[in-house]
Amino acid sequence: MQVINPATEEEIAELTVDTAESVHLKLARLRNGQQKWSSRSIAERLEIIVGFGELVKQHKEELAQVLTKETGKPITQSRGEVTGSLNRIEHLKTHADKWLQPELMAEGAVKESIVYEPLGVIANIGAWNFPYNTGYNVFLYALVAGNSVLYKPSEYASLTGLKFKELLHKAGVPEDVFETAIGPGQVGQYLLEADLDGYFFTGSYKTGVHIARSIAHKLVPVQLELGGKDPLYVMDDVADVNQAAINAADGAFYNNGQSCCAVERIYVQESIYDDFVRHFVDEVKNYIPGDPTNDATYTGPLTRSQQLQVILEQIKDATAKGAEVLIGGNQPDRKGYYLNPTVLVDVNHTMELMKEESFGPVIGIQKVASDEEALRLMQDTPYGLTAAVFSSDEQRARKILDQMNVGTVYWNCCDRVSPNTTWSGRKNSGLGSTLSYQGIRTFTQPKSYQMKGK
């Protein structure tokens, strides 16, 4: 399998793809290794994961360079992901022991308790856009809980996946407890056909549905972190229109918009609409595009060449229906999977741009007359990942946020994930939760003990 640098379209590595047989052999080893791993104490397992975090810190620059070369993520953002994702380990250090310990529920003639046992051998089918964040949410938490893991990195982030394996083994995770499966979608299919105790996937709605259907008969846990069409509403009482525009633009264009919780559509109250749009466009004009290895670059190439056509078709559809492109909308004259950051106005919900996930550097900004109109438009989606409101009035904002059928809501912020709170989607945005105490117990199965003395 060729690994292509999306900034240059040049091959940077060639990897051997797993076969059905190699996947079967790896799973057999993981099955054997899981028993010994789960017999270790939580403290022992956690100490190894903390050691892995220290190795990541030591190799930060090397890891960031690998991530940038294979995904096109600007190098400063790669460094930020490598170091920022370590807050998952801090979260585990603080909370894992508490939430994995047996719980005494009642004492009397019968002593009643709950023990949290590992699932066993799990598959983690990972994402390429934030492989550290989304990967750690699964495989680090699963390992601390006593599971073994077969991690299939996206074919667009395989070199990063192999670095995870290298450093986890160096930190002390046994080779028969964490393994990788390398290759395209067919390799993921091998995992779906194998005997596993849980499936954890981050990616598209279409693939998530395929996974759920394929393994339904196994009656094992399946967790799906899928996409979104996340709305942001700017109210007319916002404290600082310029700052709101700066924050919204970053939420829309960070990592080239390739984030499940990126701002994908913006609604602005009509009295401040023109000011907001002007400030928003001015901010986007300041974004420096180009070589992702350059520290000054804010927008690099898209990771997948296929997504370019998706976004260009959305822009074409929108302009045909009356939208205006204020900036961008075209590809620069250079090699690589680049698209200039694009802002459209005069948009509406007849346009694919405002309905279907873009996952790239494009945004539509729509004028609204009232909170009621904004709420109706924000709710007009099959997705349910996040929603944001910018306002100086928390109670007014909450009237909107409380009615959003999404997993996470934001007031005066957006496009952020914290290990202290659950990360979950609703409707087409997925099933299950990672992070928080729920994300620690996600990788366990409860067993009830009812013990009566003589």
Side-chain angles (χ1 to χ4, degrees):
M1 182 181 75
Q2 290 182 323
V3 178
I4 303 298
N5 183 333
T8 63
E9 302 182 51
E10 297 173 349
E11 180 183 325
I12 54 174
E14 189 170 273
L15 301 176
T16 300
V17 172
D18 272 283
T19 63
E21 181 182 9
S22 68
V23 167
H24 175 78
L25 291 172
K26 288 178 179 180
L27 284 173
R29 290 198 296 271
L30 290 170
R31 183 71 63 187
N32 290 330
Q34 191 270 326
Q35 296 295 323
K36 296 180 208 174
W37 179 248
S38 65
S39 68
R40 298 196 192 189
S41 68
I42 297 167
E44 286 179 293
R45 297 194 296 261
L46 188 56
E47 183 179 6
I48 290 172
I49 298 307
V50 171
F52 164 76
E54 292 303 312
L55 289 173
V56 169
K57 291 178 187 177
Q58 293 171 25
H59 295 273
K60 178 184 76 172
E61 188 60 26
E62 174 195 355
L63 297 172
Q65 293 289 344
V66 168
L67 182 59
T68 289
K69 286 177 182 176
E70 68 176 342
T71 69
K73 187 189 293 277
I75 187 62
T76 55
Q77 296 177 25
S78 290
R79 293 183 187 121
E81 183 182 352
V82 171
T83 56
S85 59
L86 294 173
N87 64 5
R88 273 64 168 174
I89 297 177
E90 290 301 314
H91 181 251
L92 285 165
K93 281 173 62 177
T94 305
H95 298 289
D97 188 68
K98 174 184 177 181
W99 294 109
L100 293 174
Q101 289 291 348
E103 289 185 294
L104 177 64
M105 308 308 293
E107 276 192 294
V110 178
K111 184 178 178 181
E112 301 170 354
S113 61
I114 302 173
V115 169
Y116 295 93
E117 299 180 340
L119 296 173
V121 184
I122 68 135
N124 178 193
I125 303 173
W128 50 262
N129 59 329
F130 285 94
Y132 284 81
N133 293 332
T134 60
Y136 288 5
N137 292 357
V138 176
F139 66 73
L140 291 187
Y141 283 70
L143 289 168
V144 170
N147 300 277
S148 60
V149 179
L150 182 55
Y151 177 63
K152 184 203 171 298
S154 165
E155 57 267 43
Y156 300 99
S158 295
L159 299 178
T160 292
L162 291 171
K163 284 294 181 183
F164 292 155
K165 174 182 171 179
E166 175 189 333
L167 295 183
L168 283 167
H169 290 172
K170 189 173 181 180
V173 175
E175 293 184 7
D176 57 1
V177 169
F178 183 90
E179 252 295 2
T180 55
I182 300 298
Q186 180 57 51
V187 176
Q189 188 64 34
Y190 298 149
L191 272 60
L192 302 185
E193 295 164 0
D195 180 22
L196 283 143
D197 301 309
Y199 291 84
F200 298 82
F201 167 72
T202 303
S204 71
Y205 165 75
K206 180 180 177 181
T207 304
V209 169
H210 172 72
I211 290 171
R213 286 175 175 164
S214 298
I215 66 169
H217 65 284
K218 299 183 182 185
L219 300 182
V220 298
V222 57
Q223 187 157 294
L224 309 170
E225 183 185 330
L226 309 179
K229 192 67 183 173
D230 300 354
L232 183 151
Y233 172 38
V234 185
M235 293 179 168
D236 56 359
D237 67 352
V238 69
D240 186 332
V241 175
N242 181 40
Q243 189 59 51
I246 291 170
N247 293 345
D250 187 60
F253 291 107
Y254 190 85
N255 194 32
N256 236 6
Q258 298 171 122
S259 170
C260 298
C261 58
V263 175
E264 289 241 350
R265 49 198 174 107
I266 299 175
Y267 307 97
V268 183
Q269 204 142 32
E270 56 189 3
S271 63
I272 61 167
Y273 178 82
D274 290 339
D275 282 346
F276 178 88
V277 169
R278 184 178 70 256
H279 289 306
F280 191 96
V281 170
D282 286 344
E283 176 65 14
V284 175
K285 285 179 180 177
N286 289 329
Y287 292 162
I288 298 174
D291 181 356
T293 63
N294 188 324
D295 281 10
T297 297
Y298 181 88
T299 55
L302 282 91
T303 302
R304 299 169 63 249
S305 61
Q306 303 94 309
Q307 199 63 20
L308 277 171
Q309 194 57 42
V310 171
I311 299 169
L312 290 170
E313 285 296 326
Q314 286 188 350
I315 295 169
K316 181 179 178 182
D317 170 73
T319 54
K321 294 174 179 175
E324 179 186 358
V325 176
L326 295 185
I327 185 174
N330 60 328
Q331 295 176 255
D333 184 18
R334 61 176 300 159
K335 273 194 171 183
Y337 311 144
Y338 286 88
L339 179 69
N340 291 319
T342 303
V343 180
L344 295 94
V345 292
D346 299 329
V347 294
N348 59 62
H349 278 223
T350 68
M351 302 169 184
E352 295 298 303
L353 173 70
M354 300 299 283
K355 297 190 299 180
E356 296 299 328
E357 189 173 28
S358 302
F359 221 68
V362 61
I363 194 72
I365 307 177
Q366 184 169 350
K367 183 189 299 183
V368 296
S370 65
D371 291 355
E372 291 72 24
E373 182 184 8
L375 176 61
R376 176 178 60 80
L377 291 169
M378 292 171 78
Q379 291 175 327
D380 182 25
T381 179
Y383 294 99
L385 193 57
T386 80
V389 172
F390 282 22
S391 168
S392 61
D393 186 336
E394 181 179 358
Q395 293 308 308
R396 182 182 172 193
R398 285 200 64 137
K399 287 181 181 178
I400 298 283
L401 298 175
D402 289 350
Q403 297 180 74
M404 292 302 300
N405 187 20
V406 299
T408 298
V409 295
Y410 305 110
W411 177 48
N412 292 334
C413 57
C414 56
D415 189 30
R416 72 184 301 272
V417 181
S418 166
N420 300 311
T421 56
T422 52
W423 186 249
S424 61
R426 301 182 183 181
K427 303 187 290 182
N428 289 8
S429 290
L431 296 169
S433 300
T434 53
L435 303 178
S436 83
Y437 76 91
Q438 294 183 11
I440 293 172
R441 285 186 173 167
T442 286
F443 302 97
T444 68
Q445 47 194 341
K447 179 187 285 183
S448 296
Y449 280 75
Q450 303 191 31
M451 311 296 284
K452 183 178 180 181
K454 293 181 181 180

